Amino acid sequence: MDTKYIFVTGGVVSSLGKGIISASIGRLLQARGYKVTIQKFDPYINIDPGTLNPYEHGECYVTDDGFETDLDLGHYERFTGIHTTRNNSITTGRIYKTVIDRERRGDYLGKTIQVVPHITDEIKRRMLRESDNSASGNSCVPEEQLDFVITEVGGTIGDIESAPFMEAIRQLRWQLGRNAVSVHLTYVPYLKAADELKTKPTQHSVKELQGMGIQPDILVLRTERHLDDHIRMKVASFCNVDLECVVQSEDMPSIYEVPVNMQKQGLDAAILRKIGIPVGETPEMKAWHDFLDKQRNAKREVHIGLVGKYDLQDAYKSIRESLNLAGIYNAVKARLHFVNSEEITQENVAEKLDGLAGIVICPGFGTRGIEGKIIAAEYTRTHDIPTFGICLGMQMMVIEFARNVLGYKDANSREMDEKTPHNVIDIMEGQKSITQMGGTMRLGAYDCELKEGSRVAEAYSNSQLSISERHRHRYEFNNAFKEEYESKGMKCVGINPAANLVEIVEIPEKRWYIGTQFHPEYSSTVLNPHPLFMSFIKACAQ
Ligand code: GLN
């Protein structure tokens, strides 16, 4: 079968959940046995979101191959279990950089370089995931045959900056014919005073899209209230879309209900019909339904604190989802509480962490809020409360141990204190000469050998002592202090074999006190919750 392309755009307002809809389409097509990938095109100029403040763009998600990407890729992976790569997250900045680099190398000698066709051609190439055949090209790794490529375009229809992406989609739809489908997501607001649901914004949004030469095949209407057939019919007739291709996406108690809700309304069937593929039987999706049943039955609440500095849901997206998923598989509801580490002091720590069954000390950069993380780590260590330190969180556990157990009051990370003689967290050798900020950290999946008999080995079921996890950091545990740590009870139980870096520390006598230099949250999925989150929640729930 030729590869089919599904383009997902959004209108009216942002934050409608295009990422969830794209991920749901991916899941539903997978359930029918198709091989899919999902990619995100973002209209901003940054090469990737790696240098963005989480307040701008939420969490930065990291792929196995070490690319810093949009957090929607996290949804794609959690819903479908696929492993995305650097080919799945594209920005305007990357498109322009590729074209400008080619121009400088002389690939276009004699030609004027323009948005149309040069920028749009490069967008099209990446949407089709074709390899770069230009003289100096190498920026898209050729890959195995896919049945479906789902392309989500960030932003909202009408944005000036997304216009070249829309033009690329227009051209591709013409070129690909029935092998391309356009899905447009809009919003149907409910006006309380009039007690009415309003379709006009959707009509305008579709007009805007039509004005760019794109007739949507399928409309997904986001709504807080149920839409009756009359409204769907109205939208269908005003927007030139078949009634069966107008699907509603009501608010759900959980995002994981969305694929099933979309399947019930025949979104996947509508896509197949548009392409001309026989629809056949509706797949059962047993594992997914079993998961949803577990979710509905998980009633007992377990309170978990997220100790960090970003007071914003999206900043720790994958950690939140990993905790939720692990909760569900442990038959409990993980209730997450943000604890602002900037506000934690020795005096108030007991009160701030009161009632929490466990805490996660979150990743991060820079000095803001780190002393609060260290105080929290001390409190949970001395009160034996389950504690999971991730990346910077692990580094803070290590510093706390040095200060309060090894007796080095000035212990710190080189990131925070250039001069301390007790630099228990140090800059990695390979990072010392780096001056460029973008994409230069130790990024992506690296191997780690677990120590036999350790708590982490047990968490990974002792089945394999060689694991691979994703990273995003410049600093590391300083091996000069390793023996001292181990003799005082903090064990280095996960080591990267190639570089001898400490990837995991634990205090085995504690109920659950483990820090990882890597980010397990990036590889936890709906059908495969991560073993460390599973084991952490289990300890918290006891
Ligand atoms: N700032 C720390 C480092 O670079 C930790 C990074 C993180 O938490 N992702 O090593």
Side-chain angles (χ1 to χ4, degrees):
M1 174 171 116
D2 287 344
T3 305
K4 319 290 178 194
Y5 299 85
I6 300 170
F7 299 101
V8 182
T9 55
V12 185
V13 288
S14 58
S15 304
L16 288 178
K18 266 188 309 226
I20 305 292
I21 292 295
S22 303
S24 299
I25 294 173
R27 179 79 236 170
L28 293 178
L29 291 171
Q30 269 183 335
R32 290 176 178 274
Y34 295 113
K35 200 166 159 35
V36 304
T37 198
I38 316 177
Q39 50 186 2
K40 174 92 190 267
F41 282 62
D42 271 306
Y44 54 78
I45 312 286
N46 305 60
I47 296 288
D48 60 50
T51 54
L52 291 179
N53 184 320
Y55 285 117
E56 298 270 322
H57 213 261
E59 159 188 286
C60 174
Y61 187 78
V62 179
T63 58
D64 267 342
D65 70 338
F67 201 70
E68 296 171 288
T69 75
D70 186 78
L71 59 75
D72 273 325
L73 273 80
H75 292 309
Y76 305 164
E77 293 207 5
R78 281 188 290 276
F79 275 61
T80 64
I82 57 171
H83 286 240
T84 56
T85 69
R86 62 191 57 236
N87 293 346
N88 293 62
S89 179
I90 311 288
T91 65
T92 292
R94 255 178 107 193
I95 300 284
Y96 270 80
K97 186 162 190 317
T98 307
V99 171
I100 291 171
D101 285 349
R102 272 190 212 133
E103 187 274 338
R104 288 292 82 183
R105 282 189 298 254
D107 294 5
Y108 306 106
L109 272 188
K111 288 267 185 300
T112 307
I113 311 305
Q114 296 179 292
V115 173
V116 181
H118 301 96
I119 294 298
T120 48
D121 279 353
E122 177 58 16
I123 296 172
K124 279 162 59 184
R125 179 181 76 76
R126 291 193 184 251
M127 283 178 168
L128 295 172
R129 298 171 78 86
E130 283 173 346
S131 53
D132 183 353
N133 295 325
S134 70
S136 36
N138 58 359
S139 48
C140 198
V141 187
E143 57 189 1
E144 56 197 316
Q145 170 78 22
L146 292 160
D147 298 318
F148 283 90
V149 174
I150 300 165
T151 298
E152 176 192 350
V153 179
T156 308
I157 276 302
D159 294 347
I160 291 175
E161 53 187 14
S162 61
F165 293 110
M166 296 306 142
E167 171 58 14
I169 294 176
R170 185 195 68 75
Q171 292 182 21
L172 282 178
R173 281 180 35 98
W174 182 249
Q175 183 183 319
L176 295 166
R178 282 192 97 179
N179 285 342
V181 174
S182 159
V183 177
H184 189 56
L185 187 63
T186 73
Y187 181 52
V188 178
Y190 168 72
L191 290 192
K192 209 164 132 207
D195 188 25
E196 270 183 69
L197 285 151
K198 292 296 187 187
T199 64
K200 194 72 85 186
T202 294
Q203 296 176 41
H204 279 300
S205 178
V206 171
K207 274 221 173 75
E208 184 88 31
L209 200 57
Q210 289 166 338
M212 295 173 141
I214 303 171
Q215 168 60 48
D217 297 301
I218 292 170
L219 293 174
V220 179
L221 310 180
R222 285 285 289 116
T223 173
E224 281 147 36
R225 305 228 165 180
H226 186 76
L227 307 177
D228 59 24
D229 285 350
H230 163 75
I231 292 185
R232 286 177 50 242
M233 248 150 17
K234 190 169 159 186
V235 170
S237 67
F238 283 139
C239 299
N240 302 345
V241 174
D242 299 335
L243 179 61
E244 56 168 33
C245 293
V246 180
V247 166
Q248 61 181 306
S249 173
E250 278 177 87
D251 286 354
M252 291 277 131
S254 143
I255 53 173
Y256 302 116
E257 303 268 359
V258 176
V260 171
N261 181 32
M262 291 298 106
Q263 187 189 46
K264 254 189 224 145
Q265 295 186 64
L267 175 59
D268 54 338
I271 290 171
L272 296 179
R273 265 194 298 271
K274 278 285 157 196
I275 291 170
I277 299 177
V279 175
E281 295 208 350
T282 306
E284 187 183 18
M285 302 230 293
K286 176 155 179 354
W288 198 273
H289 280 284
D290 287 349
F291 163 79
L292 291 180
D293 285 341
K294 285 198 182 80
Q295 173 165 265
R296 290 176 202 127
N297 293 330
K299 296 245 160 60
R300 180 162 74 93
E301 294 191 341
V302 172
H303 297 268
I304 310 286
L306 291 183
V307 178
K309 65 178 169 182
Y310 297 112
D311 186 4
L312 149 112
Q313 293 262 341
D314 277 355
Y316 306 116
K317 190 79 194 162
S318 294
I319 293 178
R320 286 176 174 274
E321 293 307 322
S322 300
L323 290 167
N324 287 337
L325 295 170
I328 292 162
Y329 281 98
N330 275 290
V332 296
K333 181 163 181 46
R335 274 248 171 258
L336 310 183
H337 304 268
F338 173 71
V339 185
N340 190 338
S341 60
E342 283 183 278
E343 291 165 9
I344 299 176
T345 63
Q346 288 291 359
E347 293 67 43
N348 70 15
V349 61
E351 182 199 332
K352 291 267 183 204
L353 304 184
D354 184 36
L356 298 175
I359 66 165
V360 175
I361 310 182
C362 293
F365 296 84
T367 53
R368 187 162 67 85
I370 62 156
E371 293 303 325
K373 287 183 173 171
I374 294 171
I375 293 167
E378 179 188 6
Y379 184 85
T380 54
R381 181 177 58 78
T382 52
H383 290 77
D384 204 6
I385 297 168
T387 306
F388 194 173
I390 299 178
C391 205
L392 184 71
M394 169 267 200
Q395 297 176 353
M396 294 304 118
M397 285 169 133
V398 167
I399 293 169
E400 187 279 317
F401 199 84
R403 290 186 186 175
N404 299 318
V405 179
L406 307 184
Y408 302 133
K409 291 293 163 209
D410 57 357
N412 215 328
S413 161
R414 271 277 180 267
E415 181 180 2
M416 320 300 172
D417 182 350
E418 287 269 320
K419 298 202 181 68
T420 175
H422 299 110
N423 50 333
V424 291
I425 302 293
D426 203 2
I427 183 138
M428 273 181 281
E429 201 46 48
Q431 289 287 329
K432 287 182 179 161
S433 56
I434 287 175
T435 50
Q436 291 244 88
M437 293 298 277
T440 56
M441 280 186 258
R442 179 170 181 248
L443 290 167
Y446 285 91
D447 291 340
C448 175
E449 300 289 345
L450 303 179
K451 193 161 166 200
E452 220 174 323
S454 63
R455 298 289 298 277
V456 278
E458 189 192 320
Y460 281 92
S461 328
N462 287 311
S463 53
Q464 28 134 209
L465 293 175
S466 290
I467 56 163
S468 167
E469 296 280 358
R470 301 180 206 179
H471 298 68
R472 182 175 186 240
H473 64 122
R474 292 187 202 281
Y475 298 85
E476 58 159 335
F477 182 94
N478 186 343
N479 274 321
F481 294 90
K482 189 169 161 190
E483 267 174 38
E484 233 177 312
Y485 272 90
E486 298 225 303
S487 68
K488 293 281 168 49
M490 184 178 264
K491 308 285 183 191
C492 301
V493 289
I495 307 289
N496 169 257
N500 201 28
L501 297 179
V502 173
E503 307 278 30
I504 312 175
V505 295
E506 69 177 29
I507 304 182
E509 300 85 87
K510 300 289 170 192
R511 284 174 56 210
W512 211 99
Y513 199 85
I514 296 175
T516 63
Q517 185 57 74
F518 53 77
H519 292 261
E521 71 272 24
Y522 293 144
S523 46
S524 202
T525 71
V526 173
L527 297 183
N528 269 312
H530 194 284
L532 284 178
F533 282 96
M534 287 291 285
S535 144
F536 172 65
I537 293 283
K538 192 171 164 202
C540 296
Q542 261 159 18

